[in-house]
Structures are given as C-alpha cells and as structure tokens.
Amino acid sequence: MRDVLFEPYRLNDKITLKNRILMAPLTRCMAGPGLVPTDEMAAYYSRRADAGLIISEATIIRPDGQGYPNTPGLFSAEQILGWRKVTDAVHAKGGLIFAQLWHTGRVAHTFFFGGEHTVAPSAVALNGTVPRMRELQYETPKALTVSEIEQLVRDYAKAAENAIEAGFDGVEIHGANAYLIDEFLHHDSNRRDDDYGGSPENMSRFPLQVTDAVIAAIGRERTGIRLSPAAYVNMATDARDRQVFDYLLPALEQRQLAYVHLGIFDDSMQFDYLGGQASTYLREHYQQTLVGVGGYDADSASAAINAGKFDLIAIGRPFIANPDYVARVRQGDATKAYSDEMLATLY
Ligand code: FNR
Ligand code: 8K6
C-alpha cells in the first residue's frame, strides 16, 4: 500500500518528482547575520534530499516581513549566495527544492527590522506575544495603501526571481497560517472597503495579483501556493471566509500552478463551515495537484492518496526527527518520534 508514495509524480512539463513525499516547510530560526543561510543549513537540507521535493523553511521577501528571530531572507545578494550553497548541496544529492516566500503581515514585529510599524490589510492587531520572545506584544499594523499593495506584489515577484537566481527549482507562495496573504482572505484581518476587501473577489485580489506576478517572473510550472481555508491559528473564525475560498480555488485552477498545498497542523480537525476536513474541502474545489499535510504517517498518507484525497503528502515534524525519513519508510523501518527539544539543533 505504501508503494504509491514511491511512484514518480509528474507535476508538469518541467518538473517530475522522484517520489510523492515532500518535506514540509519548517521554520528553524537558524539563519546567520543578515538573515543569510548557513553551511549548517545546507548540510541539513542535503541530508533530506531524497524527498521528492523539499519546501524550504519560510523565507522573508523583505525586512518588514519578519516575525521570528533568524528567519532567512531572499532580498539581499548575500542571502542569494547563501541559498545557492543550500540548493547546490540538495541538487548534488539528486534532490529538488522550492523556496517558500513569506511575509508575516501583522504577525511581524518592528523589533526585528527596526521600522516604525508593521503592515497588514487592516489596522487590526493580533492578540498576544511573539512565541519564545514573550516580552514582545504584537503591534497594531498600519493598513496598507493601494500603492503599498502594488509594491508588495512587485516584491514577491522580485523574491521569486531571486529564488531562481539562488538555484531553487521553484517557489511556494506562503498564502497560509494567518500571515500577510492569508490575512487578506479572512474577515477577521481584512476589514477593507476598497477593491481589496468586502467581497470574495476583492479579498482574493491581492493573493491572485501576487500569484500572477510570480508566474510572470518565473513561470506557472515553478509556482505553487500554500493555503489555509480553515482559520485555525492567529485568526478568529468567520463562516463567511468559506465564500472567499470558493471563489479563490477555481481562479487558481485556471492558472495551472505546479500545486496547491494545504496549510494546517492536524488534518483530522473538522470545520463546520468547510463541511468537514480542510483537505476534503480543498479537493472538492480544486482538481489539479493537491498536497496534503498535518499529522500523517506513511500508512495514513498512502491511504489518503490511494483514496484520491490528495496527490502528494508533505511531512513536517517526522522529517525534523528523521533526516533519513524517506529511506526508513521505504525499508519499512521504524521512525523516531518528534519532540520540541529537537528544534534546538539543526541535525
Ligand atoms: C511549521 N510549519 C510551517 N508551515 C509553513 O507553511 N511554513 C513554515 O515555515 C512552517 N514552519 C514550521 C516550523 C515548525 C517547527 C513546525 C512544527 C511546523 C507547519 C508545517 O509545514 C506542517 O504543516 C505541520 O508541521 C504539520 O505537518 P506534520 O508535522 O504533522 O507532518
Ligand atoms: C503557527 C504556524 C507558523 C509556524 C511557524 C512557527 C515558528 C516556529 C518557530 C520555531 C522556533 C524555533 C526556535 C529554535 C530555538 C533555537 C534555540 C537555539
């Protein structure tokens, strides 16, 4: 039954994966000064190069996108050179790697970039404090002007070009987990009454503009997107959000992306307003390549793929615990259990 995981999978004319196991994007907060990827990061990713596709840890597109310490960037020449070492190391072992492009929106903090304010669709603050830096209270963001939104679209496209220059095989737009793009897609964080808010079409406008700009920069074959139709973290639930994703998913389907990737920690969660699991909802509205994630092991992932629930599986925490995750599953060996203490080192 697990055999399905080891079948090659053709994403499109340009990219074929050697198996269906993706390494999920995993923030590790281990970049060096200047948010430059390190040699240790290159070694860490290359140890996992037998994944069908590695998605990098979320990587900020510009300074005011930073919401956690030492997260890598893709906006300076030094960062591009640092990533080049990572992509070279992964390619040398026959792997493929996409960069996850990130702006944290209102989950950013001026502490990290020394600016005057954070930015978001609307001036609605997140309640709470930055994880592991409990003294930092989230700030009320400045609502973006239309010209600032247009600049952000250009900045995503530039980061995508930088990713290709750094040797990445493509990019995943981080449109999930209550960060900037997702903030446009939910009523809790988007209270705008202009062309970017108030209706499913308007709330989808910025995510689609970013997608189109990235496609124009690097091609649809090299562009994926991660989405969280369920507001499950850093966001209040609003049943009207469902209509936004009902509109967005067919619009993304028309663009024939490399894939759509669910963003969630536990895909067994049920959401009334989505009619059940988030992955089931996505499959009902999106027929092209879909990546599932969230609490799966090799058996449950194979079963879900065989049942047509999604086409590829992303594995997160087990990949932190087991650099040789793919080999272990292939051989039927036991995998080591993940624990949070493992985040302290980059093995
Ligand atoms: C994550 N996750 C995550 N998601 C994302 O889109 N970008 C990111 O940078 C991160 N970073 C991150 C760090 C850590 C330490 C964890 C545990 C998780 C979410 C991750 O990609 C995945 O969706 C979840 O971990 C659920 O999958 P698993 O771990 O159950 O296989
Ligand atoms: C909530 C969904 C978004 C997922 C991003 C989570 C960010 C996790 C931060 C991980 C922190 C790792 C800290 C490592 C400590 C290093 C100590 C030397």
Side-chain angles (χ1 to χ4, degrees):
M1 190 184 72
R2 289 177 174 190
D3 291 353
V4 69
L5 297 178
F6 296 98
E7 290 168 359
Y9 185 88
R10 190 174 169 281
L11 277 185
N12 50 50
D13 292 350
K14 299 229 164 83
I15 305 175
T16 296
L17 312 183
K18 62 191 171 194
N19 60 56
R20 298 203 195 206
I21 302 172
L22 273 57
M23 177 178 170
L26 294 159
T27 290
R28 300 303 308 271
C29 301
M30 297 279 186
L35 309 184
V36 174
T38 62
D39 293 349
E40 290 71 27
M41 287 166 63
Y44 159 84
Y45 282 109
S46 75
R47 278 192 282 275
R48 291 159 174 83
D50 55 357
L53 176 64
I54 294 171
I55 314 299
S56 81
E57 62 201 285
T59 298
I60 59 171
I61 63 160
R62 63 182 212 183
D64 68 359
Q66 187 178 354
Y68 306 90
N70 306 316
T71 53
L74 253 176
F75 53 86
S76 77
E78 295 74 22
Q79 292 160 358
I80 294 172
L81 283 175
W83 278 120
R84 175 51 86 171
K85 292 190 205 168
V86 174
T87 61
D88 282 349
V90 169
H91 291 151
K93 292 228 203 134
L96 292 173
I97 181 167
F98 274 30
Q100 193 187 44
L101 301 186
W102 198 25
H103 190 298
T104 62
R106 67 175 180 175
V107 188
H109 202 286
T110 53
F111 171 81
F112 297 115
F113 58 91
E116 279 167 23
H117 51 73
T118 57
V119 297
S122 302
V124 183
L126 184 63
N127 256 328
T129 54
V130 179
R132 290 164 208 260
M133 303 196 66
R134 294 287 165 194
E135 72 280 15
L136 290 183
Q137 190 80 28
Y138 284 114
E139 302 154 301
T140 301
K142 175 180 177 299
L144 287 157
T145 65
V146 170
S147 68
E148 287 168 344
I149 289 176
E150 290 164 353
Q151 183 59 48
L152 270 160
V153 171
R154 290 191 290 273
D155 292 336
Y156 273 97
K158 180 65 184 157
E161 283 172 11
N162 290 347
I164 298 301
E165 192 184 333
F168 283 101
D169 299 286
V171 306
E172 174 173 295
I173 298 165
H174 195 343
N177 300 350
Y179 299 120
L180 180 65
I181 290 177
D182 202 28
E183 287 162 15
F184 276 86
L185 295 168
H186 292 270
H187 287 81
D188 176 56
S189 44
N190 185 344
R191 316 269 175 98
R192 300 178 73 96
D193 56 9
D194 64 357
D195 286 351
Y196 290 92
S199 70
E201 186 180 356
N202 285 349
M203 293 169 76
S204 299
R205 191 176 309 282
F206 174 67
L208 289 171
Q209 285 176 338
V210 169
T211 305
D212 288 338
V214 170
I215 289 173
I218 68 167
R220 64 185 71 252
E221 300 88 352
R222 303 200 178 281
T223 304
I225 190 166
R226 193 170 215 202
L227 297 172
S228 295
Y232 73 101
V233 62
N234 282 345
M235 190 92 88
T237 297
D238 188 315
R240 294 174 297 168
D241 295 349
R242 152 90 189 240
Q243 291 150 27
V244 181
F245 286 86
D246 285 356
Y247 174 88
L248 177 65
L249 289 163
L252 287 172
E253 206 158 49
Q254 284 172 12
R255 281 145 172 97
Q256 300 194 294
L257 299 171
Y259 62 80
V260 165
H261 184 179
L262 173 62
I264 202 158
F265 274 73
D266 175 5
D267 189 33
S268 68
M269 291 171 78
Q270 304 278 327
F271 300 91
D272 287 350
Y273 58 101
L274 297 178
Q277 285 171 260
S279 58
T280 308
Y281 167 78
L282 281 183
R283 176 92 292 175
E284 281 166 4
H285 292 78
Y286 189 84
Q287 301 310 315
Q288 296 165 8
T289 299
L290 187 63
V291 184
V293 76
Y296 288 90
D297 63 18
D299 291 327
S300 59
S302 315
I305 291 174
N306 282 322
K309 288 174 181 282
F310 40 78
D311 307 291
L312 301 168
I313 182 68
I315 297 291
R317 288 162 288 189
F319 242 125
I320 293 177
N322 305 270
D324 54 350
Y325 181 81
V326 172
R328 284 184 189 238
V329 169
R330 194 194 295 271
Q331 292 154 18
D333 294 346
T335 53
K336 211 189 285 175
Y338 164 87
S339 69
D340 287 336
E341 301 81 71
M342 293 176 180
L343 294 177
T345 58
L346 203 58
Y347 176 61

